[in-house]
Amino acid sequence: MTVEPTSADIAGPITAFLRERTKVDVPADQDLFASGLVSSIFAMELIVHVEQTFDVAITGSDLRLDNFRTVDRMTELVTRLRAGA
């Protein structure tokens, strides 16, 4: 039986990736695009990181800016995608 990751298990690696790349501690509810921390090019890197780290495919209607606006929203996306797997 596989244990699904908790929200903290998902948010932690996303936050660590953002901290490593931006050199800033990012609150889970901070708008990454409005704050200027994430550009469109970096957003693509973020999508790839989330897909590879959590073994999910982000396609179609899930490939929206709003799903990557905050760590909280990315955590919700991963949780939903893993539940549907």
Side-chain angles (χ1 to χ4, degrees), residues 25-79:
D25 285 325
V26 179
D29 62 350
Q30 179 175 338
D31 187 323
L32 302 171
F33 297 99
S35 66
L37 284 176
V38 175
S39 66
S40 57
I41 301 252
F42 183 54
M44 293 307 298
E45 292 178 48
L46 190 54
I47 291 166
V48 170
H49 172 74
V50 169
E51 286 182 320
Q52 292 177 346
T53 301
F54 301 105
D55 193 27
V56 296
I58 303 168
T59 60
S61 64
D62 290 323
L63 200 53
R64 297 177 326 167
L65 181 68
D66 279 345
N67 285 332
F68 297 90
R69 192 167 296 284
T70 67
V71 172
D72 286 340
R73 289 194 185 167
M74 286 183 269
T75 300
E76 292 167 10
L77 174 64
V78 169
T79 301

